[in-house]
Amino acid sequence: MVYAVAMRGLTLLALALFLLTGCVTRAPGVLVDRGDSDISSLSVRDMQLSWRFDEELVYFELGAPTNGWLGIAFGPTPGLGAGAVGGAGVVAGYVTDDGVVVRDDYGCESYAHCEDSAIGGTDNLVDVSGEEVPGWTEIRFAMPREALESFDVGIDPDTTMDVVLGYGFLDRLEDNWFARYKIRIRF
């Protein structure tokens, strides 16, 4: 009995350390193919996030075990519930046979996001691409390091912020999250 409780405690401790630190790996795709050496990557449960900086932009690659949508919310308002995106700069997208859809959104409610251009902002994403194979989708995009409007979040090296990663199973950005993970990242 004592052995089982001790093993459960160790298992929970190992799981907590994994979730807090992430498992550092290199993601496949455009970021690695460019031969860049300044790429940062992490795995959060079943999702993969990689990024790199240049003088003006930060490039991201996000992958998840879905053939639906996936997204990331940068800097949600503190104090909201786990997984909330209110006040965050949100990027979400999906891949279909017709192409890639990646949107620049804003967390207009605690658990909802609106397209920037629909609420008076602009789409500031560039170099948008993505690919999908059965059971896995990746989206890639770049955004300015500086916040260009109130719906954006600035990100520079050494910036630390909360982010929410998530995905769903349909090619609709209005679909509910299947999984979402709130973590703190030092870029």
Side-chain angles (χ1 to χ4, degrees):
M1 173 94 162
V2 172
Y3 175 77
V5 170
M7 290 307 294
R8 182 183 310 161
L10 287 175
T11 302
L12 291 174
L13 177 62
L15 178 61
L17 287 172
F18 174 78
L19 294 176
L20 290 173
T21 61
C23 176
V24 178
T25 60
R26 292 182 70 88
V30 170
L31 293 178
V32 174
D33 290 346
R34 291 181 179 168
D36 298 313
S37 60
D38 295 327
I39 299 169
S40 298
S41 299
L42 60 85
S43 294
V44 179
R45 296 194 186 172
D46 52 357
M47 295 188 73
Q48 182 77 31
L49 176 67
S50 299
W51 64 92
R52 72 173 176 84
F53 292 92
D54 73 10
E55 294 299 316
E56 297 179 10
L57 301 171
V58 57
Y59 296 82
F60 288 95
E61 182 174 284
L62 180 64
T66 184
N67 289 120
W69 68 269
L70 62 160
I72 182 168
F74 299 97
T77 302
L80 297 177
V85 298
V90 178
V91 177
Y94 55 88
V95 179
T96 68
D97 292 337
D98 296 327
V100 179
V101 173
V102 178
R103 240 175 42 189
D104 183 4
D105 284 12
Y106 176 73
C108 54
E109 296 179 23
S110 293
Y111 292 94
H113 49 96
C114 306
E115 195 168 358
D116 277 12
S117 59
I119 56 174
T122 57
D123 181 346
N124 299 309
L125 303 178
V126 296
D127 289 345
V128 171
S129 66
E131 56 190 294
E132 185 173 277
V133 296
W136 187 259
T137 299
E138 290 180 356
I139 58 171
R140 290 176 286 280
F141 58 93
M143 58 190 233
R145 288 171 55 165
E146 288 187 37
L148 300 179
E149 60 193 21
S150 62
F151 304 121
D152 296 334
V153 174
I155 301 174
D156 277 312
D158 297 324
T159 298
T160 299
M161 72 172 60
D162 290 335
V163 299
V164 178
L165 304 172
Y167 63 92
F169 289 126
L170 300 177
D171 289 337
R172 285 178 357 123
L173 298 180
E174 297 77 24
D175 186 41
N176 289 330
W177 302 82
F178 169 75
R180 62 178 174 237
Y181 312 114
K182 183 175 183 179
I183 60 172
R184 189 154 186 82
I185 296 178
R186 180 172 183 237
F187 289 100

